[in-house]
Short mmCIF file of all heavy atoms in Angstrom, two decimals:
data_model
loop_
_atom_site.label_atom_id
_atom_site.label_comp_id
_atom_site.label_asym_id
_atom_site.label_seq_id
_atom_site.Cartn_x
_atom_site.Cartn_y
_atom_site.Cartn_z
N PHE D 375 -6.90 -40.76 26.57
CA PHE D 375 -8.22 -41.58 26.31
C PHE D 375 -9.07 -40.69 25.35
O PHE D 375 -9.35 -39.58 25.70
CB PHE D 375 -8.87 -41.79 27.68
CG PHE D 375 -9.42 -43.18 27.80
CD1 PHE D 375 -8.63 -44.17 28.33
CD2 PHE D 375 -10.77 -43.48 27.34
CE1 PHE D 375 -9.15 -45.47 28.44
CE2 PHE D 375 -11.29 -44.75 27.54
CZ PHE D 375 -10.44 -45.68 28.04
N GLU D 376 -9.55 -41.34 24.30
CA GLU D 376 -10.41 -40.61 23.38
C GLU D 376 -11.88 -40.68 23.69
O GLU D 376 -12.38 -41.71 24.24
CB GLU D 376 -10.26 -41.23 21.85
CG GLU D 376 -8.85 -41.20 21.43
CD GLU D 376 -8.51 -39.80 21.06
OE1 GLU D 376 -9.33 -38.88 20.66
OE2 GLU D 376 -7.25 -39.39 21.30
N ASN D 377 -12.65 -39.60 23.44
CA ASN D 377 -13.98 -39.62 23.64
C ASN D 377 -14.78 -40.74 23.00
O ASN D 377 -15.75 -41.31 23.48
CB ASN D 377 -14.71 -38.20 23.44
CG ASN D 377 -16.11 -38.11 23.82
OD1 ASN D 377 -16.35 -38.28 24.98
ND2 ASN D 377 -17.04 -37.92 22.94
N SER D 378 -14.34 -41.12 21.71
CA SER D 378 -14.90 -42.08 21.01
C SER D 378 -14.91 -43.50 21.58
O SER D 378 -15.66 -44.36 21.19
CB SER D 378 -14.25 -42.10 19.62
OG SER D 378 -13.01 -42.36 19.64
N ASP D 379 -14.03 -43.62 22.61
CA ASP D 379 -13.90 -44.92 23.28
C ASP D 379 -14.90 -45.02 24.44
O ASP D 379 -15.14 -46.07 25.04
CB ASP D 379 -12.41 -44.99 23.97
CG ASP D 379 -11.39 -45.11 22.92
OD1 ASP D 379 -11.60 -45.58 21.88
OD2 ASP D 379 -10.32 -44.61 23.21
N VAL D 380 -15.66 -43.97 24.72
CA VAL D 380 -16.55 -44.00 25.80
C VAL D 380 -17.97 -44.16 25.47
O VAL D 380 -18.49 -43.33 24.51
CB VAL D 380 -16.40 -42.61 26.73
CG1 VAL D 380 -17.27 -42.63 27.86
CG2 VAL D 380 -14.93 -42.52 27.12
N ARG D 381 -18.76 -44.87 26.16
CA ARG D 381 -20.24 -44.82 26.08
C ARG D 381 -20.66 -44.09 27.20
O ARG D 381 -20.32 -44.48 28.42
CB ARG D 381 -20.84 -46.26 26.09
CG ARG D 381 -22.29 -46.19 26.42
CD ARG D 381 -23.14 -47.51 26.10
NE ARG D 381 -23.69 -47.34 24.81
CZ ARG D 381 -24.38 -48.25 24.18
NH1 ARG D 381 -24.45 -49.45 24.71
NH2 ARG D 381 -24.96 -48.01 23.03
N TRP D 382 -21.31 -43.01 27.10
CA TRP D 382 -21.85 -42.15 28.15
C TRP D 382 -23.29 -42.54 28.53
O TRP D 382 -24.16 -42.84 27.69
CB TRP D 382 -21.80 -40.63 27.72
CG TRP D 382 -20.45 -40.15 27.42
CD1 TRP D 382 -19.96 -40.03 26.25
CD2 TRP D 382 -19.45 -39.58 28.31
NE1 TRP D 382 -18.49 -39.58 26.30
CE2 TRP D 382 -18.40 -39.32 27.63
CE3 TRP D 382 -19.55 -39.53 29.79
CZ2 TRP D 382 -17.27 -38.78 28.32
CZ3 TRP D 382 -18.44 -38.90 30.40
CH2 TRP D 382 -17.29 -38.61 29.58
N VAL D 383 -23.52 -42.49 29.87
CA VAL D 383 -24.83 -42.63 30.36
C VAL D 383 -25.23 -41.48 31.17
O VAL D 383 -24.36 -41.15 32.04
CB VAL D 383 -24.97 -43.98 31.23
CG1 VAL D 383 -26.36 -44.17 31.75
CG2 VAL D 383 -24.49 -45.20 30.43
N ILE D 384 -26.37 -40.88 31.03
CA ILE D 384 -26.85 -39.64 31.94
C ILE D 384 -28.12 -40.04 32.54
O ILE D 384 -29.07 -40.61 31.90
CB ILE D 384 -26.96 -38.34 31.04
CG1 ILE D 384 -25.65 -38.02 30.43
CG2 ILE D 384 -27.58 -37.32 31.94
CD1 ILE D 384 -25.83 -36.77 29.53
N THR D 385 -28.22 -39.89 33.84
CA THR D 385 -29.37 -40.32 34.54
C THR D 385 -30.40 -39.18 34.67
O THR D 385 -30.03 -38.03 34.82
CB THR D 385 -29.21 -40.69 35.96
OG1 THR D 385 -28.56 -39.62 36.76
CG2 THR D 385 -28.09 -41.93 36.06
N VAL D 386 -31.64 -39.55 34.46
CA VAL D 386 -32.84 -38.55 34.51
C VAL D 386 -34.00 -39.09 35.36
O VAL D 386 -34.00 -40.36 35.40
CB VAL D 386 -33.30 -38.01 33.27
CG1 VAL D 386 -32.22 -37.41 32.41
CG2 VAL D 386 -34.08 -39.12 32.62
N PRO D 387 -34.79 -38.29 36.13
CA PRO D 387 -35.90 -38.93 36.88
C PRO D 387 -36.87 -39.62 35.90
O PRO D 387 -37.01 -39.17 34.75
CB PRO D 387 -36.56 -37.71 37.44
CG PRO D 387 -35.58 -36.63 37.48
CD PRO D 387 -34.71 -36.83 36.24
N ALA D 388 -37.51 -40.72 36.35
CA ALA D 388 -38.39 -41.46 35.49
C ALA D 388 -39.68 -40.68 35.11
O ALA D 388 -40.28 -40.89 34.16
CB ALA D 388 -38.72 -42.86 36.16
N ILE D 389 -39.92 -39.61 36.00
CA ILE D 389 -41.33 -38.94 35.71
C ILE D 389 -40.97 -37.85 34.83
O ILE D 389 -41.95 -37.11 34.50
CB ILE D 389 -41.82 -38.38 37.08
CG1 ILE D 389 -40.79 -37.67 37.93
CG2 ILE D 389 -42.39 -39.66 37.91
CD1 ILE D 389 -41.30 -37.04 39.11
N TRP D 390 -39.81 -37.61 34.32
CA TRP D 390 -39.59 -36.53 33.41
C TRP D 390 -40.29 -36.82 32.06
O TRP D 390 -40.30 -38.07 31.64
CB TRP D 390 -38.08 -36.35 33.11
CG TRP D 390 -37.42 -35.45 34.00
CD1 TRP D 390 -37.82 -34.90 35.15
CD2 TRP D 390 -36.10 -34.87 33.79
NE1 TRP D 390 -36.92 -34.08 35.63
CE2 TRP D 390 -35.86 -34.08 34.86
CE3 TRP D 390 -35.06 -35.01 32.77
CZ2 TRP D 390 -34.60 -33.35 34.95
CZ3 TRP D 390 -33.97 -34.31 32.90
CH2 TRP D 390 -33.65 -33.45 33.96
N LYS D 391 -40.81 -35.86 31.56
CA LYS D 391 -41.49 -36.08 30.20
C LYS D 391 -40.52 -36.00 29.02
O LYS D 391 -39.30 -35.67 29.15
CB LYS D 391 -42.56 -35.05 29.99
CG LYS D 391 -43.69 -35.17 30.98
CD LYS D 391 -44.92 -34.52 30.74
CE LYS D 391 -46.12 -34.99 31.47
NZ LYS D 391 -45.90 -34.98 32.85
N GLN D 392 -40.90 -36.35 27.84
CA GLN D 392 -39.94 -36.51 26.68
C GLN D 392 -39.21 -35.16 26.35
O GLN D 392 -38.03 -35.26 26.13
CB GLN D 392 -40.79 -36.89 25.48
CG GLN D 392 -41.21 -38.23 25.45
CD GLN D 392 -40.19 -39.32 25.59
OE1 GLN D 392 -38.94 -39.21 25.13
NE2 GLN D 392 -40.46 -40.48 26.27
N PRO D 393 -39.81 -33.91 26.49
CA PRO D 393 -38.97 -32.79 26.16
C PRO D 393 -37.75 -32.63 27.06
O PRO D 393 -36.69 -32.26 26.67
CB PRO D 393 -39.99 -31.63 26.43
CG PRO D 393 -41.31 -32.16 26.32
CD PRO D 393 -41.19 -33.64 26.74
N ALA D 394 -37.94 -33.01 28.39
CA ALA D 394 -36.87 -32.81 29.33
C ALA D 394 -35.83 -33.85 28.96
O ALA D 394 -34.51 -33.48 29.02
CB ALA D 394 -37.18 -33.02 30.71
N LYS D 395 -36.10 -35.02 28.52
CA LYS D 395 -35.08 -36.09 28.16
C LYS D 395 -34.31 -35.63 26.96
O LYS D 395 -33.18 -35.67 26.78
CB LYS D 395 -35.74 -37.37 27.91
CG LYS D 395 -36.35 -38.08 29.17
CD LYS D 395 -37.02 -39.27 28.82
CE LYS D 395 -37.82 -39.99 29.96
NZ LYS D 395 -38.60 -41.08 29.66
N GLN D 396 -35.20 -35.09 25.89
CA GLN D 396 -34.46 -34.55 24.74
C GLN D 396 -33.62 -33.40 25.03
O GLN D 396 -32.51 -33.29 24.39
CB GLN D 396 -35.68 -34.20 23.65
CG GLN D 396 -35.01 -33.80 22.36
CD GLN D 396 -36.17 -33.34 21.39
OE1 GLN D 396 -37.25 -33.80 21.52
NE2 GLN D 396 -35.72 -32.59 20.42
N PHE D 397 -34.08 -32.45 25.92
CA PHE D 397 -33.25 -31.31 26.36
C PHE D 397 -31.83 -31.85 26.88
O PHE D 397 -30.79 -31.32 26.44
CB PHE D 397 -33.94 -30.50 27.40
CG PHE D 397 -33.20 -29.36 27.76
CD1 PHE D 397 -33.60 -28.05 27.16
CD2 PHE D 397 -32.29 -29.41 28.71
CE1 PHE D 397 -32.98 -26.84 27.64
CE2 PHE D 397 -31.59 -28.05 29.12
CZ PHE D 397 -32.00 -26.98 28.49
N MET D 398 -31.84 -32.81 27.61
CA MET D 398 -30.65 -33.40 28.27
C MET D 398 -29.70 -33.88 27.20
O MET D 398 -28.53 -33.78 27.29
CB MET D 398 -31.04 -34.54 29.25
CG MET D 398 -30.03 -34.56 30.45
SD MET D 398 -29.97 -33.11 31.40
CE MET D 398 -29.24 -33.77 32.91
N ARG D 399 -30.33 -34.62 26.17
CA ARG D 399 -29.58 -35.09 25.02
C ARG D 399 -28.93 -34.07 24.28
O ARG D 399 -27.76 -34.07 23.87
CB ARG D 399 -30.48 -36.00 24.25
CG ARG D 399 -29.83 -36.78 23.10
CD ARG D 399 -30.68 -37.81 22.39
NE ARG D 399 -30.56 -39.01 23.06
CZ ARG D 399 -29.60 -39.93 22.97
NH1 ARG D 399 -28.58 -39.65 22.24
NH2 ARG D 399 -29.71 -41.09 23.64
N GLN D 400 -29.69 -32.88 24.06
CA GLN D 400 -29.11 -31.83 23.23
C GLN D 400 -28.00 -31.18 23.97
O GLN D 400 -27.01 -30.76 23.38
CB GLN D 400 -30.31 -30.73 23.02
CG GLN D 400 -31.35 -31.28 22.04
CD GLN D 400 -30.86 -31.53 20.74
OE1 GLN D 400 -29.86 -30.93 20.22
NE2 GLN D 400 -31.49 -32.39 19.91
#
Side-chain angles (χ1 to χ4, degrees):
F375 223 88
E376 296 295 325
N377 187 62
S378 56
D379 295 330
V380 179
R381 162 165 264 173
W382 296 96
V383 181
I384 298 175
T385 63
V386 303
I389 52 172
W390 270 16
K391 295 196 164 53
Q392 291 299 326
K395 292 178 190 173
Q396 186 182 332
F397 184 95
M398 210 62 163
R399 184 169 276 281
Q400 291 299 333

